[in-house]
mmCIF file of all heavy atoms in Angstrom:
data_model
loop_
_atom_site.group_PDB
_atom_site.id
_atom_site.type_symbol
_atom_site.label_atom_id
_atom_site.label_comp_id
_atom_site.label_asym_id
_atom_site.label_seq_id
_atom_site.Cartn_x
_atom_site.Cartn_y
_atom_site.Cartn_z
ATOM 1 N N GLU A 424 59.208 -15.554 3.620
ATOM 2 C CA GLU A 424 59.056 -14.500 2.626
ATOM 3 C C GLU A 424 60.204 -14.482 1.654
ATOM 4 O O GLU A 424 60.079 -14.831 0.506
ATOM 5 C CB GLU A 424 58.912 -13.162 3.374
ATOM 6 C CG GLU A 424 59.136 -11.924 2.553
ATOM 7 C CD GLU A 424 58.106 -11.791 1.509
ATOM 8 O OE1 GLU A 424 57.112 -12.468 1.551
ATOM 9 O OE2 GLU A 424 58.301 -10.993 0.589
ATOM 10 N N GLY A 425 61.352 -14.031 2.085
ATOM 11 C CA GLY A 425 62.498 -14.000 1.167
ATOM 12 C C GLY A 425 62.309 -12.972 0.075
ATOM 13 O O GLY A 425 61.214 -12.686 -0.349
ATOM 14 N N SER A 426 63.402 -12.426 -0.400
ATOM 15 C CA SER A 426 63.326 -11.489 -1.512
ATOM 16 C C SER A 426 63.603 -12.211 -2.801
ATOM 17 O O SER A 426 64.285 -13.210 -2.832
ATOM 18 C CB SER A 426 64.346 -10.360 -1.314
ATOM 19 O OG SER A 426 65.629 -10.866 -1.463
ATOM 20 N N ALA A 427 63.067 -11.685 -3.878
ATOM 21 C CA ALA A 427 63.219 -12.342 -5.165
ATOM 22 C C ALA A 427 64.625 -12.212 -5.708
ATOM 23 O O ALA A 427 65.075 -13.030 -6.478
ATOM 24 C CB ALA A 427 62.224 -11.764 -6.178
ATOM 25 N N GLY A 428 65.317 -11.150 -5.318
ATOM 26 C CA GLY A 428 66.685 -10.962 -5.758
ATOM 27 C C GLY A 428 66.837 -10.882 -7.259
ATOM 28 O O GLY A 428 67.859 -11.245 -7.803
ATOM 29 N N ALA A 429 65.789 -10.443 -7.934
ATOM 30 C CA ALA A 429 65.843 -10.427 -9.398
ATOM 31 C C ALA A 429 65.231 -9.158 -9.916
ATOM 32 O O ALA A 429 64.287 -9.157 -10.664
ATOM 33 C CB ALA A 429 65.116 -11.639 -9.956
ATOM 34 N N GLY A 430 65.767 -8.035 -9.485
ATOM 35 C CA GLY A 430 65.145 -6.749 -9.749
ATOM 36 C C GLY A 430 64.888 -6.465 -11.204
ATOM 37 O O GLY A 430 63.842 -5.986 -11.565
ATOM 38 N N THR A 431 65.833 -6.744 -12.083
ATOM 39 C CA THR A 431 65.659 -6.434 -13.501
ATOM 40 C C THR A 431 65.521 -7.701 -14.299
ATOM 41 O O THR A 431 66.259 -8.651 -14.102
ATOM 42 C CB THR A 431 66.863 -5.633 -14.020
ATOM 43 O OG1 THR A 431 67.028 -4.478 -13.201
ATOM 44 C CG2 THR A 431 66.659 -5.211 -15.451
ATOM 45 N N ASP A 432 64.562 -7.723 -15.207
ATOM 46 C CA ASP A 432 64.345 -8.920 -16.005
ATOM 47 C C ASP A 432 65.570 -9.239 -16.831
ATOM 48 O O ASP A 432 66.141 -8.375 -17.481
ATOM 49 C CB ASP A 432 63.172 -8.701 -16.984
ATOM 50 C CG ASP A 432 61.905 -8.388 -16.239
ATOM 51 O OD1 ASP A 432 61.874 -8.615 -15.028
ATOM 52 O OD2 ASP A 432 60.960 -7.909 -16.897
ATOM 53 N N SER A 433 65.945 -10.513 -16.856
ATOM 54 C CA SER A 433 66.997 -10.936 -17.758
ATOM 55 C C SER A 433 66.421 -11.020 -19.159
ATOM 56 O O SER A 433 65.350 -11.548 -19.365
ATOM 57 C CB SER A 433 67.539 -12.301 -17.336
ATOM 58 O OG SER A 433 68.332 -12.849 -18.327
ATOM 59 N N ALA A 434 67.146 -10.498 -20.125
ATOM 60 C CA ALA A 434 66.606 -10.433 -21.479
ATOM 61 C C ALA A 434 67.021 -11.610 -22.338
ATOM 62 O O ALA A 434 66.726 -11.645 -23.513
ATOM 63 C CB ALA A 434 67.064 -9.136 -22.154
ATOM 64 N N GLY A 435 67.719 -12.564 -21.765
ATOM 65 C CA GLY A 435 68.204 -13.676 -22.571
ATOM 66 C C GLY A 435 67.084 -14.408 -23.248
ATOM 67 O O GLY A 435 66.108 -14.762 -22.626
ATOM 68 N N ALA A 436 67.251 -14.702 -24.524
ATOM 69 C CA ALA A 436 66.216 -15.385 -25.276
ATOM 70 C C ALA A 436 66.543 -16.835 -25.498
ATOM 71 O O ALA A 436 65.750 -17.570 -26.047
ATOM 72 C CB ALA A 436 66.019 -14.694 -26.632
ATOM 73 N N GLY A 437 67.698 -17.275 -25.043
ATOM 74 C CA GLY A 437 68.076 -18.664 -25.239
ATOM 75 C C GLY A 437 67.454 -19.551 -24.210
ATOM 76 O O GLY A 437 66.774 -19.115 -23.291
ATOM 77 N N ALA A 438 67.686 -20.844 -24.299
ATOM 78 C CA ALA A 438 67.121 -21.780 -23.340
ATOM 79 C C ALA A 438 67.747 -21.549 -21.995
ATOM 80 O O ALA A 438 68.911 -21.259 -21.852
ATOM 81 C CB ALA A 438 67.389 -23.213 -23.802
ATOM 82 N N GLY A 439 66.931 -21.680 -20.950
ATOM 83 C CA GLY A 439 67.422 -21.521 -19.593
ATOM 84 C C GLY A 439 68.214 -22.731 -19.163
ATOM 85 O O GLY A 439 68.367 -23.721 -19.858
ATOM 86 N N ALA A 440 68.743 -22.644 -17.928
ATOM 87 C CA ALA A 440 69.571 -23.727 -17.448
ATOM 88 C C ALA A 440 68.764 -24.924 -17.033
ATOM 89 O O ALA A 440 69.285 -26.016 -16.883
ATOM 90 C CB ALA A 440 70.405 -23.226 -16.261
ATOM 91 N N GLY A 441 67.461 -24.714 -16.840
ATOM 92 C CA GLY A 441 66.646 -25.813 -16.346
ATOM 93 C C GLY A 441 66.264 -26.778 -17.436
ATOM 94 O O GLY A 441 66.540 -26.612 -18.600
#
Side-chain angles (χ1 to χ4, degrees):
E424 163 65 13
S426 69
T431 305
D432 300 345
S433 167

